[in-house]
Every structure is written in structure tokens, then in C-alpha cells.
Amino acid sequence: MADVGYTSSPAAKEYEAQLGDYFALLKPRVMSLVVFTALVGLLAAPTPVHPVIGFASILFVAIGAGASGALNMWWDADIDAIMRRTSKRPIPDGRIQPGEALNLGAALSGLSIMMLALTANFLAAGLLAFTIFFYAVIYSMWLKRWTPQNIVIGGAAGAFPPVIGWAIATGSLSIEAWLMFALIFMWTPPHFWALALFMKSDYDDAGVPMLTVTHGRKKTRVHIIVYTVLLAVLAVGTGFTAIGGPIYFAAAVVLNALFLKGAVDIWRRDEDTAIADEYRVEKKFFRLSLWYLFAHFGVILLEAALRPFGLGGW
């Protein structure tokens, strides 16, 4: 177990955890993306859902996402304490004990799965259970510390929410749900590899086999552009499916042109230039990647909202 031998700071014994500390344990920024993409999956589905059922279902998906975050922080407490980006998280900062995070994550996992099954259907609940298991066990406990493909394979955990949303609405799965899954899955590697480039030695210090550590920064830049090209083909092509339409297609062309340009800019740089300007291009690409995903799912949502009026779709 990752936190065997791990101890929080001495101040932890004197610190009384606040509500905000437990909320931070749930990774609220990640949770916001999960909620949004699950909501898009639900609303883009062809089957209408009663607002109360929809709200409750998305709430339980959010709780499940928070449970995954708590379990991840419990397991990764040792390496979180080493990395500058994560050293102020509740466990390494001594605000919450590892056992508390484990208990909270386990309790919220059970609650969210059970309640989603009762509120929506067993397919959606099963997908949520698998997502929590995949993130907490397959990714956090195995892939993250074992292979430089950790982000590539592990990206599946973050890609399931729109599929869950679709299952909530329809009780089934379809190609449209898996297209939304694929958008997030293909977006995840360039998004995180850009972060790894400008986080410099964090992953080296923590012994996490990120691609920048195992294959070097030059090859990481090549991987970013390869995945970005594949992502662009997928994203633009989605415009011709049932969840796309002319508005989505136009937005996808613009967004992917910008994203491709950013990837090319990263690919053409050497490490000395990046160090000299403090990774300005890499940080810009990372910020763009956040807007990129929200924008694509936002336009999918817009197409779905216009469709009943005969305005969405082709």
C-alpha cells in the first residue's frame, strides 16, 4: 500500500480538519469536468429525463468522482508530498490523515453507486463503479507508477462520465456515447504531457514514469503532436454524427486548428528555448487544452438544445 510508512507533518496532530479540507480531498476541479461532461452526455441523448431524476443522477456521479479523488489522494500521499504541484494537498500538508481519506473515499463510492442504481438504472451505476475502480486501482495503484503509458490508458477513467450520462438517459449505450468518450480519451495525453513538460523535475523526483522521464522531452513533444493530429481528425469527424451539426463542425474546425498550431509550436521548440522563456508556449497550450474540451462539449450541448426546434444537427 502506497501510504505504508507515510506520516503527515507533526502539525497534523494539532490541526482540526475543516470542511474545506475534505472538499479539497474530492478534487473539485476534476469533479467540475466530470459533472459537465456527464451532463452533456445525459442531455445529448435522444431520451428525455425528468429534471429531478437528472439532477439527482448527476449529483451521484459527482459524488462518485469525488470518491475517486479521495482514494487517489490516499494512495498517492507519498508522491504528492514530493511534487511541488501537489505538496499542499490535504494529506501531505497534514490537514487530513490518510486513513480518513480512505474511509471517506470508500463510503462515498458505495453511496454514489447504490444511489445511482436506485435513481437511474443499473447500467449507469455499473459504469460508475467501474470508473471508480479503474481510476483508484487500475490507474492510481498500477499504471501511474509502472508505465509511461499511464496517462494514455488511464485517460479512460476521465472519459467515462459522458457515457454514464448517456446511460442514465437511455439505459443503453451507442456510438454517440463512445464518440464523446473518445474525445476525452484522446485529449488526455497531450493535455497532461504539456503539463509534464513545464513541471520540470516533479515527476523525476517522485519516481513517476511519465513520458518526459522515460523517453525524454524531445520525444514527448513528438507524442503531443501525434496525438493532437489524431484528436483533431476525431473531433472534426464527430461533427458529421448524430451529436454533431454545422455549429459543432464550425467550432471544431477553429478549435482544432488552434490546438494543432499549439502542438506544432511545442514540437518545433528545443528545451533550451523553453527554459529561457519559462515554458511560455507549453503553458499556453495547457491552458488552451482546458478550454478546448469544455468548448467541444459545450457545442455538443448547444446542438442538443437546438435540435427540438429543428435547428440542431444537419
Side-chain angles (χ1 to χ4, degrees):
M1 190 171 66
D3 65 340
V4 171
Y6 173 82
T7 55
S8 303
S9 64
K13 298 178 181 179
E14 305 174 4
Y15 185 90
E16 185 175 345
Q18 305 297 313
L19 182 61
D21 298 325
Y22 290 105
F23 185 62
L25 200 65
L26 307 183
K27 294 190 174 182
R29 285 188 294 181
V30 175
M31 188 191 299
S32 66
L33 180 61
V34 168
V35 168
F36 180 61
T37 56
L39 181 63
V40 172
L42 186 152
L43 295 177
T47 307
V49 178
H50 191 283
V52 175
I53 299 297
F55 175 80
S57 297
I58 294 299
L59 174 62
F60 296 130
V61 172
I63 292 173
S68 298
L71 293 172
N72 171 263
M73 286 203 191
W74 160 70
W75 185 261
D76 278 351
D78 56 337
I79 60 175
D80 281 351
I82 297 171
M83 298 171 63
R84 289 173 301 154
R85 183 174 64 90
T86 57
S87 62
K88 294 301 180 182
R89 284 177 172 175
I91 299 176
D93 201 38
R95 306 197 305 275
I96 291 180
Q97 293 299 307
E100 294 179 283
L102 173 60
N103 293 336
L104 179 63
L108 292 182
S109 295
L111 174 67
S112 62
I113 295 165
M114 177 182 67
M115 293 306 296
L116 187 61
L118 295 173
T119 304
N121 54 68
F122 284 100
L123 175 60
L127 287 169
L128 179 61
F130 179 76
T131 302
I132 294 172
F133 173 80
F134 194 96
Y135 185 67
V137 178
I138 302 299
Y139 170 69
S140 299
M141 298 183 184
W142 179 37
L143 293 174
K144 186 173 183 177
R145 304 182 189 223
W146 177 67
T147 172
Q149 296 300 309
N150 47 20
I151 287 301
V152 178
I153 305 170
F160 270 106
V163 182
I164 297 173
W166 190 280
I168 290 169
T170 66
S172 63
L173 301 176
S174 71
I175 185 63
E176 291 84 7
W178 293 113
L179 281 171
M180 289 186 282
F181 172 96
L183 276 174
I184 302 176
F185 184 78
M186 294 301 297
W187 163 86
T188 302
H191 166 74
F192 274 101
W193 285 332
L195 174 68
L197 283 172
F198 66 79
M199 287 312 298
K200 302 181 77 171
S201 63
D202 262 17
Y203 293 107
D204 303 72
D205 296 341
V208 177
M210 192 63 76
L211 194 66
T212 50
V213 177
T214 60
H215 289 68
R217 296 175 182 274
K218 184 175 181 179
K219 286 191 176 180
T220 301
R221 295 175 187 276
V222 174
H223 277 68
I224 286 175
I225 194 168
V226 169
Y227 271 84
T228 301
V229 169
L230 295 174
L231 173 62
V233 172
L234 170 69
V236 174
T238 300
F240 298 101
T241 68
I243 57 173
I247 301 174
Y248 171 91
F249 178 77
V253 168
V254 173
L255 287 166
N256 284 278
L258 293 172
F259 211 48
L260 281 168
K261 180 183 182 303
V264 170
D265 289 342
I266 286 179
W267 170 64
R268 295 172 65 180
R269 283 159 64 83
D270 57 50
E271 197 62 20
D272 290 338
T273 304
I275 293 173
D277 65 11
E278 298 182 338
Y279 295 89
R280 178 178 57 84
V281 172
E282 291 78 4
K283 291 176 181 178
K284 181 180 178 181
F285 181 85
F286 178 77
R287 290 192 298 269
L288 175 61
S289 72
L290 295 172
W291 287 106
Y292 175 96
L293 197 64
F294 272 107
H296 274 81
F297 276 83
V299 184
I300 290 174
L301 183 59
L302 177 60
E303 291 278 7
L306 293 174
R307 200 162 287 123
F309 303 99
L311 299 175
W314 292 102

